[in-house]
Amino acid sequence: HAKKQQYDYIQLFNNQIKQALSTRNKLEEGLKTAIKRDQLTVYFQPQVNSATNEVFAIECLLRWQHPELGSISPDTFIPIAEESGLICEIGDWVMEQALTHVRQWLLSNIFDGTVAVNVSLAQFLNPNYLIGLRNLLSKTLVAANKVEIEVTESLFSNQDADHLAILKELNLIGFPIAIDDFGTGYSSLHRIKMMPVNTIKIDKCFIDNIETDVSDQTIVQAVVNIAKSIGLNVLAEGVETQGQVNKLAEIGCYYCQGYFYAKPQPIDSFPNWLAEFKNKSV
Ligand code: C2E
Ligand code: MG
Ligand code: MG
Ligand code: MG
């Protein structure tokens, strides 16, 4: 009996692995044609200065509507896109979407702020990355200083000279650079001081309990103080309540992004959201 049970467990385990692999393969296969089949779209989430209620930037966030599996989270499919190399094509497509829409909104006097775009490490390693980006700037007529490139901390903990060189070139072209999810990796503010970085985005996990958790308050206060002292902007991610906005203002962090202001908006909804937000603020 024990043997039989053990065998059943192994079978169950095998089946689970098989199923996970087949889901993964299904996603990878699906991603290959997702662009062509119009299954990808971008949303935009506002970044607000809580002191002035100005929407100074919007972050471009990718969405995938799978025909059978429905809406799939970027946290699920971005890693697959990265591992398979598909992120290069997908990332180029996202950048083009971001620049095209921000240009349209600029021309129609809807929004003249910055657009922030997430860029994966794997995209940087593509030797054609910078050429493509320069071409896109000329094609869309967007100024580089209106496009913030968001990278994660792993890019900074990694000693790879190539990454740093590309980051420096991006900065030379005029792109502001933001470190996303700050505090979840291993980069030090000391290293960041030597990098071409403009903004630190403090990860949501430090913001969640900031109203009550003294150690989170202390950490965020320290990051804000140091960031400011070396001339960096700081933004809090995942701000969901007025209480968090108030506490962050006390700490000196006015740039906020999160559901308190708005969820990521579909392209067609953003102009209306912005108009209503401006109305409420006056
Ligand atoms: P991220 O860049 O840190 O983006 C912030 C994530 O937090 C987004 O999730 C956003 O919808 C969510 N968020 C914002 N405010 C709140 C809040 O108040 N509460 C909660 N619970 N969540 C909030 P999303 O859109 O699911 O994206 C997840 C991650 O996927 C992103 O994290 C980013 O790392 C990655 N990602 C998204 N789009 C792209 C892309 O075009 N390229 C690359 N390379 N990565 C992307
Ligand atoms: Mg981001
Ligand atoms: Mg983040
Ligand atoms: Mg994230």
Side-chain angles (χ1 to χ4, degrees):
H1 263 134
K3 266 259 153 64
K4 164 92 172 82
Q5 201 173 34
Q6 208 177 12
Y7 177 79
D8 285 346
Y9 276 131
I10 291 172
Q11 280 301 89
L12 181 70
F13 186 62
N14 276 343
N15 286 338
Q16 279 175 352
I17 289 180
K18 269 190 203 149
Q19 187 156 16
L21 282 176
S22 104
T23 306
R24 196 205 171 283
N25 287 340
K26 205 186 223 173
L27 292 179
E28 186 177 332
E29 278 310 304
L31 264 182
K32 284 183 188 158
T33 54
I35 294 181
K36 249 197 338 242
R37 299 192 175 168
D38 264 347
Q39 293 164 6
L40 297 185
T41 181
V42 290
Y43 278 42
F44 291 93
Q45 188 178 33
Q47 298 180 350
V48 179
N49 180 341
S50 71
T52 59
N53 270 337
E54 181 205 7
V55 179
F56 60 94
I58 48 181
E59 179 175 5
C60 180
L61 293 157
L62 185 56
R63 295 289 176 266
W64 182 19
Q65 189 68 31
H66 190 283
E68 294 157 44
L69 304 170
S71 163
I72 300 168
S73 161
D75 286 325
T76 304
F77 72 80
I78 292 287
I80 297 174
E82 288 173 342
E83 285 161 27
S84 60
L86 290 164
I87 192 67
C88 290
E89 192 192 340
I90 292 174
D92 287 348
W93 182 85
V94 169
M95 187 63 82
E96 177 161 10
Q97 291 290 309
L99 268 53
T100 305
H101 292 296
V102 88
R103 173 71 181 168
Q104 269 169 10
W105 288 329
L106 179 73
L107 289 179
S108 45
N109 288 319
I110 288 172
F111 177 69
D112 64 2
T114 304
V115 65
V117 182
N118 295 283
V119 176
S120 296
L121 221 60
Q123 293 176 256
F124 280 177
L125 297 178
N126 184 334
N128 294 323
Y129 183 65
L130 283 174
I131 301 167
L133 206 49
R134 282 182 195 275
N135 287 341
L136 191 61
L137 286 180
S138 358
K139 187 175 129 184
T140 54
L141 298 172
V142 173
N145 67 6
K146 292 284 189 183
V147 185
E148 188 159 65
I149 307 248
E150 291 196 5
V151 295
T152 52
E153 272 180 282
S154 47
L155 205 141
F156 296 87
S157 43
N158 185 317
Q159 303 281 337
D160 199 325
D162 292 351
H163 291 151
L164 184 57
I166 294 183
L167 219 53
K168 285 189 171 151
E169 265 192 79
L170 286 170
N171 211 231
L172 271 178
I173 298 174
F175 294 105
I177 307 223
I179 305 187
D180 210 347
D181 306 341
F182 185 81
T184 58
Y186 296 95
S187 70
S188 63
L189 281 164
H190 169 73
R191 272 186 67 75
I192 284 170
K193 190 187 139 197
M194 301 182 286
M195 308 285 190
V197 170
N198 305 79
T199 304
I200 286 178
K201 298 187 73 176
I202 303 176
D203 194 77
K204 177 177 184 302
C205 68
F206 300 102
I207 309 304
D208 285 338
N209 301 313
I210 193 141
E211 288 175 74
T212 51
D213 188 316
V214 177
S215 65
D216 284 340
Q217 290 167 3
T218 309
I219 292 167
V220 173
Q221 182 75 70
V223 172
V224 170
N225 290 350
I226 298 172
K228 285 190 171 177
S229 76
I230 56 177
L232 303 182
N233 301 319
V234 263
L235 175 142
E237 293 193 272
V239 176
E240 294 183 344
T241 67
Q242 178 74 62
Q244 290 170 337
V245 172
N246 297 345
K247 181 49 90 178
L248 285 160
E250 243 175 72
I251 288 173
C253 180
Y254 300 101
Y255 294 171
C256 295
Q257 176 179 353
Y259 295 176
F260 174 69
Y261 288 107
K263 289 196 168 178
Q265 300 288 310
I267 295 159
D268 293 339
S269 311
F270 174 68
N272 277 334
W273 176 86
L274 188 61
E276 272 178 38
F277 184 75
K278 283 181 176 168
N279 262 333
K280 267 191 300 188
S281 305
V282 288

